[in-house]
C-alpha cells in the first residue's frame, strides 16, 4: 500500500502514483521524472550508487624467478 502522504494518484487514471517528496531526503520533487521514481537528482540511487566496500586482504608474495 502506498504512503498517502508522499504519493498522489495520476489524473489520467493510470495506476501509477507520483511521489511528492524525495524518498531519501524529503525535499519536494518538481521534475516529472523525479516524481515518477521518487528521488531527486542528487538522491537518485541509480545515478549515484553507493561505492562498494573495500577490504584489506593478506596476499602471499609471488615467487621470484
Amino acid at each position: 500500500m502506498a504512503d498517502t502522504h508522499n504519493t498522489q494518484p495520476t489524473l489520467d487514471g493510470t495506476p501509477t502514483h507520483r511521489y511528492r517528496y524525495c524518498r531519501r531526503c524529503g525535499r519536494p520533487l518538481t521534475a516529472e521524472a523525479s516524481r515518477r521514481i521518487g528521488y531527486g537528482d542528487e538522491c537518485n540511487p541509480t545515478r549515484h550508487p553507493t561505492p562498494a566496500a573495500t577490504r584489506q586482504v593478506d596476499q602471499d608474495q609471488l615467487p621470484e624467478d
Side-chain angles (χ1 to χ4, degrees), residues 2-58:
D3 179 16
T4 57
H5 170 71
N6 193 23
T7 60
Q8 68 185 55
T10 57
L11 296 176
D12 62 359
T14 58
T16 306
H17 290 286
R18 303 285 192 247
Y19 290 91
R20 294 187 281 180
Y21 303 101
C22 179
R23 296 190 298 179
R24 182 172 284 172
C25 70
R27 290 185 286 191
L29 297 172
T30 56
E32 182 63 29
S34 295
R35 293 189 76 193
R36 261 188 253 115
I37 62 172
Y39 294 104
D41 285 339
E42 296 174 9
C43 297
N44 188 346
T46 57
R47 293 186 64 192
H48 304 284
T50 56
T54 58
R55 296 187 299 175
Q56 297 296 326
V57 178
D58 293 333

